[in-house]
Amino acid sequence: MEIIHVSAECYPYAKVGGLADVVGTLPKYQLKLGHFVKVVIPMHRTKFLYEHEWTVEHKGGFMMGSNHFDYTIIKEKSNELDFDLYCVDIYGLLDRENVYSYDDDTERFTAFQVAVVDWISKWQHRPDVVHVHDHHTGLIPFMMKHCYAYSHLADVPTILTIHNAQYQGWMSWDNSNYIPTFDTWQWGLLDWDNMINPLACAVKCADRVSTVSPSYMEELKTNANGLEQLFKAEFFKCSGILNGIDTEVWNPEKDTYILDNYSDKDADAGKKLNKKKLCKDFNLNPNLPLFIFIGRLVGEKAADLLPQTISDSLHQIGNKMSFLILGSGDRRVEDQLTYLTGSFAGYYNSKIGYNEKLSHQMYAGADFILMPSRVEPCGLNQMYALRYGTIPMVRSTGGLKDTVIDFGEPGGYGIRFNHASVWDITYSIHRAVELYDDTEKMTALRKQVMAIDNSWEQSAEKYIALYEATQKK
Ligand code: ADP
Ligand code: GLC
């Protein structure tokens, strides 16, 4: 099959979160299954762009409202990522340093989508499936089916994968002229609550909808930031497929970012060395259990609960543990986390910002990773942690529920709690500290979690089955 993934992010070209990891990995596994895979993203100005050579594949143009935009499709020359990586360049719109958070994101991502559809419409053949990811690409199924200029693409099957339903790309109807001329009888497909809602539109128009874990799919029926009724109505074409991880990138035996490589055979010793180095760098005591958090400092991740949790744990349980936080996001949480370093020097430290290398060193050097998320469609951190022998402590929600079993349950290996509350997290830290003191149990758990297979193999096949179900006979 010829598959084309369209996304705002793709690792290692541009990464903000797990979406990049998925779009940078799933295609590799689909290639291994014998398919032809292309990935298309906007041409963000990242290091990867400048460090690689590109060839021009196509040039075109389109009207958006009263503006004309020229676009260029470029392709990475060396095929370093195995799959074909294409970028859309639209001068002045897409060639920016950050992926998101510009005032004109609506215009930027609409233009990106128009360029992608316009390019595909110029091919001599049609792809077997167009797989779009999240709201930034959510108008594509509609454009392919209902925009007059692209009506010859109407039969090409489209798949939407929802990585996060909290963000929906809401647009005012005043901007409806950004979308190429469409059959106005179909306006209702664009609409949700009197706004153009690209995510809702994709749920309505795509042939199949998936989300990144079965539990999250279930949760969307009752908690989908206003789209609950839509998910109930469209449930027949929705399914949950758990993300996997790139076991080549995330491999403690070969990881070049970490000080000492190790496997499940020498996990205790390997982790000890990595922890020693990490603790030295951040002025923490390597003899205490080390708890980490890595991620976007936003409400969904319950990052706002971290400062109080750290403070309460160190006061109530005593100085029996240390914490290291890596993340960026909400300014208030960033400031609180920075402020706290003064109060708990030697037991707590933080690094505000994005640092891929440090994240690997933390997965390798930590004993426990905290994930108290209020919403977690899948979550990759817990799976990376497992691979590095770090015990995940997760709230029972979404993909966290599907990938972590509490060590108190048969076959369990992690710590689970029910509420995103300071009390519940602190209580779990208490449990973790007790567990850490049982060195035999910790050794056994490390070995057990490192052997868990969360690779993409099975899920990549599930996506292929989903595509096959859409092929018109
Ligand atoms: P989300 O996509 O919601 O942010 P995921 O758990 O799916 O959450 O993926 C997060 C990814 O981003 C992981 O690869 C994680 O290691 C990485 N990450 C998040 N924040 C940072 C950071 N500040 N520095 C380095 N890596 C980070
Ligand atoms: C989103 C979700 C996260 C998921 C990731 C990759 O960012 O918040 O839970 O793991 O996408 O699918």
Side-chain angles (χ1 to χ4, degrees), residues 264-265 267 389 442-452:
D264 58 346
K265 314 252 170 349
M442 274 302 279
T443 301
L445 280 182
R446 282 191 188 120
K447 220 175 155 59
Q448 181 184 351
V449 300
M450 288 181 74
I452 294 173

Side-chain angles (χ1 to χ4, degrees), residues 255-259 274-275 277-278 281-282 355-366 388:
D255 193 332
T256 52
Y257 284 146
I258 67 177
L259 177 71
N274 285 294
K275 180 173 173 184
K277 160 92 171 54
L278 191 63
D281 291 349
F282 287 93
N355 189 327
E356 192 75 22
K357 182 174 178 184
L358 177 59
S359 76
H360 284 243
Q361 293 171 343
M362 288 172 67
Y363 288 117
Y388 284 73

Side-chain angles (χ1 to χ4, degrees), residues 37-73:
V37 194
K38 294 177 162 65
V39 173
V40 200
I41 57 172
M43 195 201 75
H44 311 292
R45 286 198 180 283
T46 65
K47 213 164 145 231
F48 190 98
L49 173 71
Y50 296 111
E51 287 177 351
H52 290 76
E53 284 193 53
W54 302 83
T55 50
V56 172
E57 281 288 306
H58 178 76
K59 277 176 179 289
F62 56 88
M63 289 300 293
M64 205 170 88
S66 51
N67 295 320
H68 177 86
F69 288 104
D70 288 320
Y71 72 89
T72 308
I73 307 284

Side-chain angles (χ1 to χ4, degrees), residues 74-102:
I74 57 172
K75 176 172 182 277
E76 202 273 319
K77 216 172 172 180
S78 66
N79 259 41
E80 183 184 294
L81 307 180
D82 298 339
F83 53 83
D84 294 338
L85 178 67
Y86 296 87
C87 294
V88 180
D89 180 20
I90 302 179
Y91 178 71
L93 262 196
L94 299 183
D95 50 347
R96 310 240 180 115
E97 275 174 23
N98 296 325
V99 177
Y100 313 110
S101 302
Y102 294 101

Side-chain angles (χ1 to χ4, degrees), residues 17-19 22 163-164 212 243 296 300-301 376-380:
L19 169 64
V22 171
H163 298 261
N164 196 331
V212 289
N243 284 335
R296 295 180 293 119
E300 276 170 64
K301 304 283 177 193
E376 197 61 82
C378 179
L380 298 173

Side-chain angles (χ1 to χ4, degrees), residues 169-205:
W170 306 270
M171 284 166 71
S172 149
W173 271 102
D174 294 344
N175 294 332
S176 63
N177 63 344
Y178 285 2
I179 302 168
T181 313
F182 56 90
D183 176 359
T184 46
W185 285 98
Q186 304 297 339
W187 72 271
L189 293 171
L190 291 165
D191 187 81
W192 194 261
D193 276 346
N194 301 320
M195 297 282 282
I196 295 180
N197 184 317
L199 189 75
C201 176
V203 173
K204 296 180 209 176
C205 296

Side-chain angles (χ1 to χ4, degrees), residues 15 17-18 21 295-296 301 326-327 353-355 363 379-381 384:
K15 170 169 167 179
D21 289 0
R296 295 180 293 119
K301 304 283 177 193
L326 168 64
Y354 187 90
N355 189 327
Y363 288 117
L380 298 173
N381 295 16
Y384 298 146

